[in-house]
Amino acid sequence: MMSKKSKDSLINVSKNEVWKHDLDSSNFETNDINEATSLLLDSYKTYNGRQFLNDDDLNCLLPSDKIELERSTLSYLLMRHRWKGNFCSPVKEKLNTSGTTILDIGCGSGLWAIDMGLNHPSSSIIAIDIDPFKFPSSDRCPPNVCFLTCNAIYGIPFPQNTFDFVNISMMWSVFSEAQWILVIKELVRVLKHDGWIEFTEPDPMVRNRGKKLTWLLECFSKACQEIRDVNVHIHEKIPNYIKEMDELKDLTCMSVDYPLGGWYGCFGDYALKNFKRVFQGLVFLPKYMEMSDEEFNGLLNGCLEEANKNKAFFTIYKCFAKKVSGEVSII
């Protein structure tokens, strides 16, 4: 039987427990390591050669493997370049004040959190993700950045009014609409009065698209909704979710276009490659479209040629809002 300390060292994502390291304990048994390894391997499943998190409560559309980690890294670098920074909320002055706290949801490889930690050494950054194996090693992190294993749909493990700034970016492929509402309520709960929350999500419906890309995107949208209950057009809903919350005010929405293809130079070429990798990760899509993998790859390549020829682009939106002050006026 596993010792209690060994059980505590495992990652229980659904209960949002922190991964603890206790290898110095004299009670740590060799067979515990084997059992722990087995349980961690059970955290994943393989489908069409790609690795996915193995949890029935998850709606994640994209894989959780090295290939996806590399794609999401490219996505982050493109985002930072296109937006000329890591945030648009009016918090720059606050972030350079000692004691400021930042929360990053769905941090992935943690590049956003690391950049923020380096650029704003007076702030403390907590970055959370459901998959801890994406986290960078401690020697790659500034001292003011911490990573935590957490599934946000079960709640954020912090008291109310904890963070000055909350960031949630490119989570379109993760939550159902019902889960989005739960998560947003939790994020507002842990946000301080007068703190800011910022959302960054894409509109997947590429403009200047041809017939092939139109068909692909329509099938993609339907498949995500029918198979995983995920609305990939969540960028349309987020402003309304914010408006419906009495705790938030000063909503601002901004957008930036992302050109797809070499017609726009190096950026467009990389953006198109990233776009292709997203669809390569949607391994359920060929079956939904009643196509073989070979036929699907042919269609995808045709779509990319079409996008480049038509000078296609898509748009990414940012919405940010402020939590109302907790002060009560006395008349």
Side-chain angles (χ1 to χ4, degrees), residues 129-144:
D129 197 281
I130 194 171
D131 187 359
F133 298 103
K134 297 177 181 177
F135 296 163
S137 57
S138 57
D139 60 347
R140 291 179 54 205
C141 296
N144 58 333

Side-chain angles (χ1 to χ4, degrees), residues 1-4 6-7 9-10 29 31-32 35-36 39:
M1 178 178 288
M2 287 187 77
S3 65
K4 182 179 184 299
S6 298
K7 288 180 180 178
S9 70
L10 294 179
E29 304 167 9
N31 63 331
D32 288 350
E35 188 172 348
L39 286 172

Side-chain angles (χ1 to χ4, degrees), residues 143-181:
N144 58 333
V145 177
C146 175
F147 290 88
L148 175 68
T149 304
C150 172
N151 186 340
I153 65 174
Y154 299 125
I156 309 296
F158 292 95
Q160 62 182 9
N161 306 322
T162 298
F163 297 96
D164 296 284
F165 180 46
V166 173
N167 177 69
I168 178 167
S169 176
M170 304 304 282
M171 298 291 279
W172 60 268
S173 66
V174 177
F175 303 129
S176 67
E177 288 188 42
Q179 290 170 341
W180 266 106
I181 294 171

Side-chain angles (χ1 to χ4, degrees), residues 185-221:
K185 287 181 178 179
E186 268 295 280
L187 296 182
V188 173
R189 181 186 67 81
V190 300
L191 182 64
K192 288 182 182 178
H193 297 297
D194 294 327
W196 289 82
I197 182 170
E198 181 166 316
F199 301 83
T200 307
E201 298 296 336
D203 177 358
M205 299 310 290
V206 175
R207 280 172 280 177
N208 292 350
R209 60 186 185 272
K211 292 182 179 179
K212 292 179 181 178
L213 189 50
T214 296
W215 182 45
L216 176 65
L217 291 174
E218 288 175 351
C219 290
F220 155 70
S221 179

Side-chain angles (χ1 to χ4, degrees), residues 61-76:
L61 300 172
L62 295 173
S64 187
D65 56 17
K66 184 178 179 180
I67 298 174
E68 171 57 20
L69 189 60
E70 292 173 350
R71 186 209 65 78
S72 63
T73 297
L74 174 59
S75 178
Y76 166 72

Side-chain angles (χ1 to χ4, degrees), residues 23-150:
L23 299 182
D24 294 331
S25 171
S26 58
N27 294 325
F28 195 88
E29 304 167 9
T30 303
N31 63 331
D32 288 350
I33 298 176
N34 295 331
E35 188 172 348
T37 302
S38 175
L39 286 172
L40 290 174
L41 288 175
D42 288 342
S43 298
Y44 299 92
K45 57 186 175 183
T46 301
Y47 186 64
N48 276 20
R50 300 296 298 272
Q51 180 176 279
F52 291 79
L53 285 168
N54 187 22
D55 189 327
D56 292 337
D57 292 334
L58 298 179
N59 295 308
C60 297
L61 300 172
L62 295 173
S64 187
D65 56 17
K66 184 178 179 180
I67 298 174
E68 171 57 20
L69 189 60
E70 292 173 350
R71 186 209 65 78
S72 63
T73 297
L74 174 59
S75 178
Y76 166 72
L77 295 174
L78 291 171
M79 180 103 60
R80 185 180 64 184
H81 174 80
R82 198 64 175 161
W83 285 96
K84 296 180 172 56
N86 281 319
F87 59 88
C88 290
S89 300
V91 294
K92 186 175 182 179
E93 184 177 346
K94 180 67 175 177
L95 298 186
N96 294 323
T97 303
S98 179
T100 298
T101 51
I102 303 170
L103 178 65
D104 184 27
I105 306 297
C107 64
S109 62
L111 290 180
W112 186 91
I114 291 173
D115 272 357
M116 292 292 285
L118 292 172
N119 293 332
H120 306 284
S122 298
S123 294
S124 297
I125 297 95
I126 304 293
I128 70 174
D129 197 281
I130 194 171
D131 187 359
F133 298 103
K134 297 177 181 177
F135 296 163
S137 57
S138 57
D139 60 347
R140 291 179 54 205
C141 296
N144 58 333
V145 177
C146 175
F147 290 88
L148 175 68
T149 304
C150 172

